[in-house]
Amino acid sequence: METPGSQSSLHRANLERVVRAVRLAGSLTQAEIARSTGLSAATVSNIVRELRDNGTVQVTPTSSGGRRARSVALSGDAGIVVGVDFGHSHLRVAVGNLAHQVLAEQSEPIDVDASASQGFDRAEQLVARLVQSTGISPEKVLGVGLGVPGPIDVESGTLGSTAILPGWGGINPRQELSDRLGVPVQVDNDANLGALGELVWGGGRGVKDLAYIKVSSGVGAGLVIDGRIYRGPGGTAGEIGHITLDESGPVCRCGNRGCLETFTAARYVLELLRGSHGDGLTIPKMVQLGREGDPGCRRVIGDVGRHIGMGVASLCNLLNPSRVVLGGDLAEAGELVLGPIRESVSRYAIPSAAQRLSVVPGALGARAEVLGALALVLSEMGDSTLLDGNVQVDTPAFSA
Ligand SMILES: [Zn+2]
């Protein structure tokens, strides 16, 4: 038995701190490890040597600010993780290793709303095919992250509402996929996974507090507080789509009037352009026309940005995030939407909170959620497992 506070338990705790920092970041220099763990440079150096010798991490030469440095990552062949992302009209799967390298990735169009079992059949086949393409044994799969486009109870794995996924009634998505693949599955909604994806791989790298805003059929925010997803006890944190902007506005599906969603979600926004642009418009098409200079589309995109900004301003006052990452199709509009978001934030948020905030487009596009599913497995995986596992040193590098 180790006594808390003893030399050996302190050493073990330091090992876990270093492994955790590296696991969450993908790769870090020794100086970055020292900064993020608060350990001294000498302690980090000793611990990294020990972890390298027992095969938990791999160390490769790199340069940091023009100086020679050593990049530390978890061993690439210690195991693989799988991300599965269901959207309303697509299925995307990615396979990655513990060094945060994406080894294989593929997306297929699919009508997920129609039939859940068909969706899971396709997911099972695609996972098998992609894992096989990496040449790594399926037995090396340590865990699977699953993203669904709606509210989900992370603890039980059940859907909060089947109104959003009509064909999924009575299904526990986590259990379903776990039974099929024979490995532990962790599940979360698309906004939270988008946040995690951008935090680890994209527009949120380097910050600890961010909000990922996704506008599609609804509007949601994935909230990262101090490096971790904040879900709240019922898993509904981040439902900014139902902030009231106009109490005598249009009736929302939640029963209230004038929610943010009724000013920003696709079915309301496209309706504004129906008279002038006809029936066939989609959000990607509207964004494309806006970028090409279409005045009506530019106006509507700007208005959507202004309204999102009002929601972001509230978020800013409550949580004071350092970064807001806009995901989804709308992010492709760039400054046409980001400028109005920033204007609203500076108008409606407390100046001290607004000053510290940067509003950026997502860097991962449609990949954010599936990479977030990979990051979910990587972030929830216990470091003890890694430290006690039988792992070997292999090839280096970071790539997404
Ligand atoms: Zn509402």
Side-chain angles (χ1 to χ4, degrees), residues 5-7 27 114 144 147 164 177 203 267 273 302 323 325 350 370-371:
S6 71
Q7 276 302 325
S27 68
V144 174
I164 296 170
L177 195 61
R267 63 186 176 285
L273 289 159
R323 195 167 296 172
V325 179
I350 298 166
V370 79
L371 294 184

PDB file of all heavy atoms in Angstrom, residues 5-7 27 114 144 147 164 177 203 267 273 302 323 325 350 370-371:
ATOM      1  N   GLY A   5       0.948  11.028  -0.110  1.00  0.00           N
ATOM      2  CA  GLY A   5       1.970  11.971   0.350  1.00  0.00           C
ATOM      3  C   GLY A   5       3.347  11.344   0.433  1.00  0.00           C
ATOM      4  O   GLY A   5       4.337  12.045   0.593  1.00  0.00           O
ATOM      5  N   SER A   6       3.425  10.021   0.312  1.00  0.00           N
ATOM      6  CA  SER A   6       4.738   9.385   0.350  1.00  0.00           C
ATOM      7  C   SER A   6       5.491   9.695  -0.948  1.00  0.00           C
ATOM      8  O   SER A   6       4.892  10.107  -1.928  1.00  0.00           O
ATOM      9  CB  SER A   6       4.592   7.872   0.512  1.00  0.00           C
ATOM     10  OG  SER A   6       4.092   7.323  -0.695  1.00  0.00           O
ATOM     11  N   GLN A   7       6.816   9.457  -0.941  1.00  0.00           N
ATOM     12  CA  GLN A   7       7.628   9.721  -2.128  1.00  0.00           C
ATOM     13  C   GLN A   7       7.094   8.971  -3.346  1.00  0.00           C
ATOM     14  O   GLN A   7       6.970   9.525  -4.429  1.00  0.00           O
ATOM     15  CB  GLN A   7       9.086   9.300  -1.867  1.00  0.00           C
ATOM     16  CG  GLN A   7       9.908  10.365  -1.162  1.00  0.00           C
ATOM     17  CD  GLN A   7       9.959  11.681  -1.938  1.00  0.00           C
ATOM     18  OE1 GLN A   7       9.975  11.681  -3.154  1.00  0.00           O
ATOM     19  NE2 GLN A   7       9.954  12.793  -1.248  1.00  0.00           N
ATOM     20  N   SER A  27       0.900  16.247 -28.618  1.00  0.00           N
ATOM     21  CA  SER A  27       2.344  16.264 -28.404  1.00  0.00           C
ATOM     22  C   SER A  27       2.730  17.595 -27.778  1.00  0.00           C
ATOM     23  O   SER A  27       2.088  18.615 -28.017  1.00  0.00           O
ATOM     24  CB  SER A  27       3.093  16.060 -29.724  1.00  0.00           C
ATOM     25  OG  SER A  27       2.904  17.190 -30.557  1.00  0.00           O
ATOM     26  N   ALA A 114     -33.995   8.079 -40.987  1.00  0.00           N
ATOM     27  CA  ALA A 114     -34.926   7.066 -41.472  1.00  0.00           C
ATOM     28  C   ALA A 114     -34.929   5.808 -40.603  1.00  0.00           C
ATOM     29  O   ALA A 114     -35.962   5.375 -40.114  1.00  0.00           O
ATOM     30  CB  ALA A 114     -34.596   6.707 -42.918  1.00  0.00           C
ATOM     31  N   VAL A 144     -14.254   3.514 -28.382  1.00  0.00           N
ATOM     32  CA  VAL A 144     -14.936   4.176 -29.486  1.00  0.00           C
ATOM     33  C   VAL A 144     -15.689   5.384 -28.932  1.00  0.00           C
ATOM     34  O   VAL A 144     -16.329   5.297 -27.885  1.00  0.00           O
ATOM     35  CB  VAL A 144     -15.930   3.204 -30.170  1.00  0.00           C
ATOM     36  CG1 VAL A 144     -16.749   3.916 -31.238  1.00  0.00           C
ATOM     37  CG2 VAL A 144     -15.188   2.018 -30.781  1.00  0.00           C
ATOM     38  N   GLY A 147     -20.778  10.195 -31.735  1.00  0.00           N
ATOM     39  CA  GLY A 147     -21.470  11.480 -31.737  1.00  0.00           C
ATOM     40  C   GLY A 147     -22.851  11.334 -32.344  1.00  0.00           C
ATOM     41  O   GLY A 147     -23.010  10.684 -33.377  1.00  0.00           O
ATOM     42  N   ILE A 164     -35.962  14.717 -32.426  1.00  0.00           N
ATOM     43  CA  ILE A 164     -34.913  15.183 -33.330  1.00  0.00           C
ATOM     44  C   ILE A 164     -34.424  14.046 -34.234  1.00  0.00           C
ATOM     45  O   ILE A 164     -33.993  14.258 -35.355  1.00  0.00           O
ATOM     46  CB  ILE A 164     -33.760  15.793 -32.503  1.00  0.00           C
ATOM     47  CG1 ILE A 164     -34.297  17.035 -31.773  1.00  0.00           C
ATOM     48  CG2 ILE A 164     -32.584  16.168 -33.368  1.00  0.00           C
ATOM     49  CD1 ILE A 164     -33.366  17.606 -30.753  1.00  0.00           C
ATOM     50  N   LEU A 177     -23.982   0.310 -30.253  1.00  0.00           N
ATOM     51  CA  LEU A 177     -22.685   0.268 -30.931  1.00  0.00           C
ATOM     52  C   LEU A 177     -21.683  -0.587 -30.161  1.00  0.00           C
ATOM     53  O   LEU A 177     -20.865  -1.304 -30.751  1.00  0.00           O
ATOM     54  CB  LEU A 177     -22.150   1.699 -31.110  1.00  0.00           C
ATOM     55  CG  LEU A 177     -20.990   1.838 -32.099  1.00  0.00           C
ATOM     56  CD1 LEU A 177     -21.407   1.395 -33.496  1.00  0.00           C
ATOM     57  CD2 LEU A 177     -20.481   3.278 -32.153  1.00  0.00           C
ATOM     58  N   GLY A 203      -9.268  25.065 -34.080  1.00  0.00           N
ATOM     59  CA  GLY A 203      -9.286  26.489 -33.756  1.00  0.00           C
ATOM     60  C   GLY A 203      -9.209  26.811 -32.277  1.00  0.00           C
ATOM     61  O   GLY A 203      -9.120  27.980 -31.904  1.00  0.00           O
ATOM     62  N   ARG A 267     -34.255  26.537 -41.136  1.00  0.00           N
ATOM     63  CA  ARG A 267     -35.615  26.646 -41.685  1.00  0.00           C
ATOM     64  C   ARG A 267     -36.191  28.060 -41.533  1.00  0.00           C
ATOM     65  O   ARG A 267     -37.032  28.482 -42.314  1.00  0.00           O
ATOM     66  CB  ARG A 267     -36.543  25.605 -41.049  1.00  0.00           C
ATOM     67  CG  ARG A 267     -36.761  25.743 -39.571  1.00  0.00           C
ATOM     68  CD  ARG A 267     -37.575  24.545 -39.054  1.00  0.00           C
ATOM     69  NE  ARG A 267     -37.732  24.584 -37.610  1.00  0.00           N
ATOM     70  CZ  ARG A 267     -36.764  24.294 -36.754  1.00  0.00           C
ATOM     71  NH1 ARG A 267     -35.563  23.959 -37.184  1.00  0.00           N
ATOM     72  NH2 ARG A 267     -36.986  24.343 -35.456  1.00  0.00           N
ATOM     73  N   LEU A 273     -35.437  34.174 -47.394  1.00  0.00           N
ATOM     74  CA  LEU A 273     -34.940  34.352 -48.759  1.00  0.00           C
ATOM     75  C   LEU A 273     -35.828  33.677 -49.806  1.00  0.00           C
ATOM     76  O   LEU A 273     -35.527  33.702 -50.999  1.00  0.00           O
ATOM     77  CB  LEU A 273     -33.510  33.788 -48.864  1.00  0.00           C
ATOM     78  CG  LEU A 273     -32.435  34.613 -48.134  1.00  0.00           C
ATOM     79  CD1 LEU A 273     -31.204  33.762 -47.857  1.00  0.00           C
ATOM     80  CD2 LEU A 273     -32.063  35.851 -48.940  1.00  0.00           C
ATOM     81  N   GLY A 302     -25.434  38.341 -42.352  1.00  0.00           N
ATOM     82  CA  GLY A 302     -25.058  39.343 -41.355  1.00  0.00           C
ATOM     83  C   GLY A 302     -26.036  39.381 -40.189  1.00  0.00           C
ATOM     84  O   GLY A 302     -25.640  39.457 -39.027  1.00  0.00           O
ATOM     85  N   ARG A 323     -12.253  32.072 -26.070  1.00  0.00           N
ATOM     86  CA  ARG A 323     -12.427  31.907 -27.508  1.00  0.00           C
ATOM     87  C   ARG A 323     -13.809  31.340 -27.841  1.00  0.00           C
ATOM     88  O   ARG A 323     -14.309  30.473 -27.127  1.00  0.00           O
ATOM     89  CB  ARG A 323     -11.347  30.973 -28.063  1.00  0.00           C
ATOM     90  CG  ARG A 323     -11.220  31.033 -29.574  1.00  0.00           C
ATOM     91  CD  ARG A 323      -9.958  30.368 -30.048  1.00  0.00           C
ATOM     92  NE  ARG A 323      -8.762  31.054 -29.568  1.00  0.00           N
ATOM     93  CZ  ARG A 323      -7.530  30.587 -29.725  1.00  0.00           C
ATOM     94  NH1 ARG A 323      -7.333  29.444 -30.334  1.00  0.00           N
ATOM     95  NH2 ARG A 323      -6.496  31.253 -29.272  1.00  0.00           N
ATOM     96  N   VAL A 325     -15.539  29.481 -31.095  1.00  0.00           N
ATOM     97  CA  VAL A 325     -15.267  28.869 -32.392  1.00  0.00           C
ATOM     98  C   VAL A 325     -16.601  28.607 -33.072  1.00  0.00           C
ATOM     99  O   VAL A 325     -17.452  27.920 -32.512  1.00  0.00           O
ATOM    100  CB  VAL A 325     -14.486  27.539 -32.226  1.00  0.00           C
ATOM    101  CG1 VAL A 325     -14.228  26.911 -33.588  1.00  0.00           C
ATOM    102  CG2 VAL A 325     -13.186  27.757 -31.468  1.00  0.00           C
ATOM    103  N   ILE A 350     -20.320  42.531 -21.309  1.00  0.00           N
ATOM    104  CA  ILE A 350     -19.526  43.364 -20.407  1.00  0.00           C
ATOM    105  C   ILE A 350     -18.178  43.611 -21.079  1.00  0.00           C
ATOM    106  O   ILE A 350     -17.539  42.656 -21.530  1.00  0.00           O
ATOM    107  CB  ILE A 350     -19.288  42.619 -19.080  1.00  0.00           C
ATOM    108  CG1 ILE A 350     -20.617  42.337 -18.390  1.00  0.00           C
ATOM    109  CG2 ILE A 350     -18.369  43.401 -18.157  1.00  0.00           C
ATOM    110  CD1 ILE A 350     -20.504  41.336 -17.261  1.00  0.00           C
ATOM    111  N   VAL A 370     -16.192  14.238 -35.707  1.00  0.00           N
ATOM    112  CA  VAL A 370     -15.595  12.891 -35.658  1.00  0.00           C
ATOM    113  C   VAL A 370     -14.227  12.942 -34.962  1.00  0.00           C
ATOM    114  O   VAL A 370     -13.865  12.031 -34.203  1.00  0.00           O
ATOM    115  CB  VAL A 370     -15.510  12.247 -37.066  1.00  0.00           C
ATOM    116  CG1 VAL A 370     -14.339  12.766 -37.885  1.00  0.00           C
ATOM    117  CG2 VAL A 370     -15.425  10.729 -36.942  1.00  0.00           C
ATOM    118  N   LEU A 371     -13.493  14.033 -35.165  1.00  0.00           N
ATOM    119  CA  LEU A 371     -12.218  14.152 -34.453  1.00  0.00           C
ATOM    120  C   LEU A 371     -12.471  14.371 -32.961  1.00  0.00           C
ATOM    121  O   LEU A 371     -11.709  13.916 -32.111  1.00  0.00           O
ATOM    122  CB  LEU A 371     -11.372  15.289 -35.039  1.00  0.00           C
ATOM    123  CG  LEU A 371     -10.897  15.066 -36.484  1.00  0.00           C
ATOM    124  CD1 LEU A 371      -9.991  16.199 -36.935  1.00  0.00           C
ATOM    125  CD2 LEU A 371     -10.169  13.738 -36.637  1.00  0.00           C
TER     126      LEU A 371
END
